[in-house]
Amino acid sequence: MKDYIQVTTTIDTNARAERLAQALLEKRLAASVQVVPCWSAYRWQGRIERGREFRCAIKTRADLWPELVALIRSLHPYEVPEIFATAILDVTQAYGAWLDEELAEAHDGR
Amino acid sequence: MKDYIQVTTTIDTNARAERLAQALLEKRLAASVQVVPCWSAYRWQGRIERGREFRCAIKTRADLWPELVALIRSLHPYEVPEIFATAILDVTQAYGAWLDEELAEAHDGR
Amino acid sequence: MKDYIQVTTTIDTNARAERLAQALLEKRLAASVQVVPCWSAYRWQGRIERGREFRCAIKTRADLWPELVALIRSLHPYEVPEIFATAILDVTQAYGAWLDEELAEAHDGR
């Protein structure tokens, strides 16, 4: 099985989550993105902050991580956006074949 | 610690998410299921599609994966449903004991 | 990269999720917490139960897991709360630096 990963990022508006998902899919750096409204509490510059955010779950491959991070940062308004990856342990054969079909070749310049 | 995993699938209606959760719990292929409304963007047959979905987080054991996948596919309307597993790294002792009590023996035919 | 993890717990009210997030951040056992409303189905004392819950995604380090579990259990109303950890495979450099800055030293008694 290839190294599939789920990348999570959170962003401040639904409109920005839409633009991010669209760009990731257009460049085939993601095969699917789910977006969930949430509230977040976090530490920033010595204070505990709270706000509404949109949590994006991005399904991709490990070798696309550098390109994917660069695209997220180019579209993200935060100075330090939350961007982390978790390993996907297993997928169904059909879902894996679909991921392979929909995701870009790494570093193929598209 | 046993090989606990979280299986994620997304489905098109809340009613189907309810039926899926009920069936997984009845057959002890899951100990708990959380369902979250979301919107999804994904590639399908050459187009970028968008839709409302329900994201199901299913807590189970790795050895139950084949039976769990078969049950999800039998109840899922999509041709290629998203079904993937992530490893659970650690659990509290009490939660682990509860998982062991609630989950089926693998391949015990129940 | 350090051993960052995501800890998931679900709790019964938004108010309790707020108190939990605040306490985790104050004690620097979490750098950020996202909370999402969900519904849950689970087995409890021989029955399948259903209820509204709030799913908390807590970003922290593996060595803080014992202290974090103790704090969650001290604030959680359930006899056996769902508390599990998943490994974070990768983070951006900036996000990792922020996690390091915001999270406590393990066992430093703060």
Side-chain angles (χ1 to χ4, degrees):
Chain A
M1 191 184 90
K2 290 189 180 153
D3 284 338
Y4 304 118
I5 58 174
Q6 174 170 263
V7 174
T8 302
T9 192
T10 46
I11 202 161
D12 56 344
T13 69
N14 194 60
R16 284 204 174 104
E18 286 179 346
R19 224 168 295 143
L20 181 60
Q22 184 73 20
L24 290 168
L25 290 164
E26 279 174 2
K27 291 190 183 300
R28 295 183 176 271
L29 294 174
S32 83
V33 181
Q34 271 92 37
V35 179
V36 175
C38 67
W39 63 261
S40 294
Y42 52 92
R43 282 186 162 276
W44 183 247
Q45 296 175 335
R47 291 160 40 114
I48 293 175
E49 306 276 359
R50 260 207 57 177
R52 241 170 78 84
E53 286 192 310
F54 294 82
R55 201 161 201 237
C56 310
I58 302 160
K59 266 48 61 70
T60 185
R61 268 196 335 259
D63 56 288
L64 295 174
W65 163 260
E67 292 171 70
L68 188 137
V69 164
L71 184 62
I72 292 176
R73 296 186 66 178
S74 70
L75 294 172
H76 210 296
Y78 299 177
E79 191 188 321
V80 180
E82 171 174 272
I83 309 174
F84 67 89
T86 40
I88 289 180
L89 181 70
D90 213 343
V91 295
T92 62
Q93 203 181 355
Y95 186 65
W98 175 76
L99 287 171
D100 294 345
E101 198 180 314
E102 299 302 349
L103 288 170
E105 293 302 320
H107 320 299
D108 68 351
R110 255 184 305 171
Chain B
M1 191 184 89
K2 291 191 180 154
D3 285 338
Y4 304 117
I5 56 173
Q6 175 170 263
V7 174
T8 303
T9 193
T10 45
I11 202 161
D12 55 344
T13 69
N14 195 60
R16 284 204 173 102
E18 286 179 346
R19 222 168 296 142
L20 182 59
Q22 185 73 20
L24 289 169
L25 290 164
E26 279 173 2
K27 292 192 184 299
R28 293 183 176 271
L29 293 175
S32 84
V33 181
Q34 271 92 32
V35 179
V36 175
C38 67
W39 62 261
S40 294
Y42 52 93
R43 283 184 160 278
W44 183 246
Q45 296 174 336
R47 289 161 39 114
I48 294 175
E49 306 275 0
R50 262 207 55 180
R52 244 171 74 84
E53 287 194 308
F54 293 81
R55 201 161 201 239
C56 309
I58 303 161
K59 265 50 59 72
T60 185
R61 268 195 336 258
D63 57 288
L64 296 174
W65 163 260
E67 292 171 69
L68 187 135
V69 164
L71 184 62
I72 292 175
R73 295 186 66 180
S74 71
L75 294 172
H76 208 297
Y78 299 178
E79 189 187 322
V80 180
E82 170 172 276
I83 309 174
F84 67 89
T86 40
I88 289 180
L89 182 69
D90 212 344
V91 294
T92 61
Q93 204 179 356
Y95 187 64
W98 175 76
L99 285 171
D100 295 344
E101 198 180 312
E102 300 300 350
L103 289 170
E105 293 303 319
H107 321 300
D108 66 351
R110 255 185 302 172
Chain C
M1 191 185 87
K2 291 189 179 155
D3 284 340
Y4 305 118
I5 56 173
Q6 175 169 262
V7 174
T8 303
T9 192
T10 45
I11 201 160
D12 55 344
T13 69
N14 194 60
R16 283 203 174 104
E18 285 178 347
R19 224 168 295 143
L20 181 60
Q22 185 73 19
L24 289 169
L25 290 164
E26 278 173 2
K27 291 192 185 299
R28 294 184 176 270
L29 293 174
S32 84
V33 182
Q34 273 92 33
V35 178
V36 175
C38 66
W39 63 262
S40 295
Y42 52 93
R43 283 185 159 277
W44 183 248
Q45 297 174 335
R47 290 160 41 114
I48 293 175
E49 305 275 1
R50 259 208 56 182
R52 243 171 76 82
E53 286 193 307
F54 293 81
R55 199 160 203 237
C56 308
I58 302 160
K59 265 48 61 72
T60 184
R61 271 196 334 259
D63 56 289
L64 295 174
W65 163 260
E67 292 171 71
L68 187 136
V69 164
L71 183 63
I72 292 176
R73 295 186 65 180
S74 70
L75 293 173
H76 210 295
Y78 299 178
E79 191 188 321
V80 180
E82 170 173 272
I83 309 173
F84 67 88
T86 38
I88 290 180
L89 182 70
D90 213 342
V91 295
T92 61
Q93 203 180 356
Y95 187 65
W98 175 75
L99 286 171
D100 295 344
E101 199 179 312
E102 300 301 350
L103 289 169
E105 293 303 320
H107 320 299
D108 68 350
R110 254 185 304 174

